[in-house]
Amino acid sequence: MGDFTRRALFAGSAVGAVGALLPATAGPAAARTGRSRASYRAAYHFTAPDQWKNDPQRPVWIDGEYHYYYLYNADYLSGAIGTAWRLATSTDLVSFTDRGVAVPKDTTPGGDVWSGSAVVDTENTAGFGAGAVVVLATMSPHDGASDQAQYLYYSTDGGRTFTPHGTDPVLPNPGVRDFRDPKVIRDEERGRWVLALAENDKVGFYHSADLRTWTYVSGFVKNGIGVLECPDLFRIRAGDGTVKWVLGVSANGKGAGLPNTYAYWTGSFDGTDFTADAAEPQWLDYGWDWYGAVTFDKRGTDGSVDEGTRYAIGWLNNWDYAHFTPTIDSDGLNGTDSIVREISLRRAADGTYHLASRPVMALDRYVSRTVRLGDLEVAGTRVLDYRGTAYELTCEIAWEQLTGAGVQLRRSPDGVRHIDAGVYRDYAFLNRRGTVSPDQSGRFQESRSPFDPARRTVRLRILVDRTSVELFLDDGRYTHSSATFPYLVDTGLALFTLDGAAVFRNTVIREFRV
């Protein structure tokens, strides 16, 4: 994707717009005078150190660390445009160390640097040396839809700093609109590189022997879910031994009543053509704010790749309201990611395959406090004796007969404001209507995913942070991620049922220190 200023509001106007989201003691005037204020920065999710971030770039494993690049604009608060690639490193994908800008913007006639992907060229196919890190990224010299092209940068210092490979694109625009977000993978079986490129309603596939010269070979077309962005292509093995290829894209399906997150197809890939198992995509997240997501290899400490699990991370925002966040005023930043997730391939009862998600297991090592509430009987609303702004809640809800059940998160002292998550009749939901949210239109407040009421039980795992909620249902078949901006004084928690009673079994709250 391109830089934020080409898609939404001028940064200067955004700062004033979000002032209304903050408590009266923490408005823009406090930021200008330097007066002490409360922080809305996420407690255990990745955030930009300052200014702006949007698209994650697929992390790569280098010298025992994950190198996580992301689009970053150091000039966001001044209103200047353009993104660079900033780098953070991590060994466990929970705690990150900032390494500064790796691929700078505006150092060539191409301008700023948009999304793409990095690979480690272990065999020196590109000629920059064995082990060089090569980035292909979109640049648009005249900031237009028809001059988007793919440019190459390379690093010989382990991915810390990059040098442009000339000033010409390695994959020029053939004269089409929307030609961006190159995702490169290595086809070891055939000894070549494969590139997936977002081309409006198509994902184009290209081959290269050296990362510098590319040949178009095929395309996968999907209409009806908006402009396709940030393609993803990977191979994964299910627990039953079945191997599938997965093609993913970030897509806006709101116009068709679908999510605006990560659409994917399971299928097969012969190195040239992707063949989907079904025409319609599945969705890796049903919330409003899991965009520009990428998946990447799960590595062992020895660098080996786990064929049955991948990691994933998404941008916790949405281009419809990207600049409406209290973190601009409170912390001088706009940019938060989802928790890193572990992705696995599961077989459903009908024989089809889908991806399932769970928070990265390393998060368990950062638990600072555990509150075990046991089994709780609820008929109506039960307010719990717990207060918090950042935590995880897990429970299993069981019932004989009712219309709905769930939890009220970040509940205000008077019980008027809260975020609701649970099940209602035949769907599961995450609803942010009862608190402050970035959606100024009011249309995108409740996200829904399928649920079979005949089961009479559901497992919830919910990650709550200062400006987000991520809901995982049962085995992670369905997830919902949404940005939410509760007042920091809204710290309560309640359980509820509708038209019946339920038992909330093994209710546990965990807090984290990162």
Side-chain angles (χ1 to χ4, degrees):
M1 285 188 294
D3 179 62
F4 70 95
T5 52
R6 302 180 178 93
R7 295 167 172 264
L9 302 175
F10 175 68
S13 63
V15 174
V18 298
L21 303 180
L22 294 162
T25 57
R32 290 192 296 269
T33 61
R35 182 159 36 117
S36 177
R37 61 190 305 124
S39 174
Y40 273 77
R41 186 188 288 271
Y44 60 95
H45 288 71
F46 181 86
T47 57
D50 55 30
Q51 301 286 339
W52 166 272
K53 82 165 296 293
N54 56 301
D55 292 16
Q57 309 302 307
R58 183 186 60 199
V60 289
W61 180 262
I62 304 172
D63 297 332
E65 291 182 308
Y66 291 98
H67 282 51
Y68 170 45
Y69 304 95
Y70 57 93
L71 296 193
Y72 169 77
N73 183 11
D75 307 307
Y76 173 67
L77 294 177
S78 68
I81 66 173
T83 49
W85 279 31
R86 190 158 183 151
L87 170 64
T89 58
S90 177
T91 58
D92 63 8
L93 299 171
V94 178
S95 176
F96 291 83
T97 301
D98 178 51
R99 303 295 184 182
V101 170
V103 184
K105 66 177 180 177
D106 301 331
T107 57
T108 76
D112 63 324
V113 189
W114 298 5
S115 279
S117 56
V119 294
V120 179
D121 187 13
T122 56
E123 299 177 12
N124 191 26
T125 64
F128 303 118
V133 183
V134 176
V135 161
L136 264 74
T138 302
M139 300 173 74
S140 181
H142 303 99
D143 190 23
S146 61
D147 72 347
Q148 297 171 15
Q150 318 322 313
Y151 293 75
L152 189 150
Y153 287 76
Y154 66 94
S155 170
T156 57
D157 63 359
R160 296 298 179 91
T161 61
F162 286 81
T163 301
H165 174 59
T167 58
D168 295 328
V170 295
L171 182 53
N173 191 307
V176 301
R177 181 180 180 86
D178 300 317
F179 193 73
R180 58 179 181 264
D181 306 341
K183 188 64 60 67
V184 179
I185 64 171
R186 181 67 179 170
D187 184 350
E188 296 289 359
E189 181 180 349
R190 299 166 185 87
R192 64 192 179 200
W193 299 96
V194 175
L195 182 152
L197 193 68
E199 303 176 22
N200 197 274
D201 63 351
K202 180 180 76 172
V203 176
F205 296 105
Y206 299 76
H207 288 165
S208 177
D210 60 7
L211 293 167
R212 293 183 285 114
T213 303
W214 295 91
T215 302
Y216 176 81
V217 293
S218 71
F220 179 87
V221 177
K222 175 58 182 175
N223 296 299
I225 55 174
V227 174
L228 308 183
E229 297 189 292
C230 303
D232 195 14
L233 181 66
F234 60 89
R235 183 178 182 269
I236 190 168
R237 185 183 302 276
D240 64 5
T242 300
V243 173
K244 292 285 185 181
W245 280 86
V246 176
L247 175 64
V249 293
S250 283
N252 184 352
K254 293 198 302 291
L258 297 169
N260 178 25
T261 58
Y262 181 105
Y264 73 91
W265 295 263
T266 61
S268 59
F269 182 66
D270 63 5
T272 297
D273 294 292
F274 177 83
T275 303
D277 292 334
E280 295 305 314
Q282 302 183 70
W283 297 82
L284 198 49
D285 196 289
Y286 281 74
W288 300 116
D289 305 306
W290 203 71
Y291 202 75
V294 292
T295 70
F296 54 104
D297 289 338
K298 179 181 180 182
R299 298 277 185 162
T301 55
D302 60 353
S304 60
V305 177
D306 183 341
E307 293 186 347
T309 308
R310 284 181 73 79
Y311 289 126
I313 188 171
W315 180 44
L316 267 172
N317 209 334
N318 186 310
W319 282 117
D320 285 353
Y321 40 73
H323 305 283
F324 291 91
T325 169
T327 59
I328 298 173
D329 274 352
S330 66
D331 299 275
L333 70 96
N334 185 354
T336 303
D337 284 336
S338 73
I339 204 74
V340 173
R341 300 174 180 180
E342 297 186 1
I343 306 296
S344 59
L345 182 66
R346 305 280 180 84
R347 185 179 187 273
D350 62 2
T352 61
Y353 287 83
H354 64 268
L355 298 177
S357 309
R358 68 179 182 184
V360 61
M361 290 185 66
L363 189 62
D364 294 345
R365 299 201 292 267
Y366 291 85
V367 175
S368 59
R369 179 190 179 206
T370 300
V371 180
R372 302 184 186 279
L373 301 175
D375 297 345
L376 303 172
E377 296 183 0
V378 180
T381 301
R382 179 169 177 173
V383 179
L384 303 183
D385 185 19
Y386 175 80
R387 301 289 181 271
T389 60
Y391 55 88
E392 173 199 75
L393 170 70
T394 57
C395 66
E396 181 180 44
I397 310 174
W399 63 89
E400 290 297 324
Q401 183 175 355
L402 49 67
T403 302
V407 297
Q408 294 180 349
L409 309 160
R410 299 297 303 274
R411 195 173 190 266
S412 62
D414 60 6
V416 172
R417 296 184 302 273
H418 44 80
I419 304 157
D420 296 344
V423 295
Y424 182 81
R425 299 190 188 276
D426 61 351
Y427 62 85
F429 67 90
L430 176 60
N431 190 314
R432 61 188 180 186
R433 190 178 303 277
T435 191
V436 181
S437 86
D439 172 34
Q440 304 296 296
S441 74
R443 293 179 296 163
F444 311 118
Q445 300 291 354
E446 181 175 88
S447 55
R448 298 180 179 182
S449 59
F451 176 73
D452 179 7
R455 294 174 40 203
R456 295 187 175 86
T457 183
V458 65
R459 292 188 305 277
L460 305 182
R461 183 175 184 182
I462 308 172
L463 300 183
V464 179
D465 214 328
R466 292 181 182 127
T467 58
S468 65
V469 174
E470 294 173 87
L471 168 65
F472 298 78
L473 292 140
D474 293 322
D475 67 349
R477 170 68 176 89
Y478 299 107
T479 63
H480 299 241
S481 300
S482 288
T484 60
F485 306 144
Y487 292 120
L488 296 178
V489 296
D490 292 351
T491 60
L493 176 64
L495 313 178
F496 71 87
T497 64
L498 300 172
D499 303 325
V503 177
F504 288 67
R505 297 172 177 162
N506 193 26
T507 305
V508 177
I509 298 166
R510 300 196 302 175
E511 298 171 353
F512 307 102
R513 179 176 294 110
V514 177

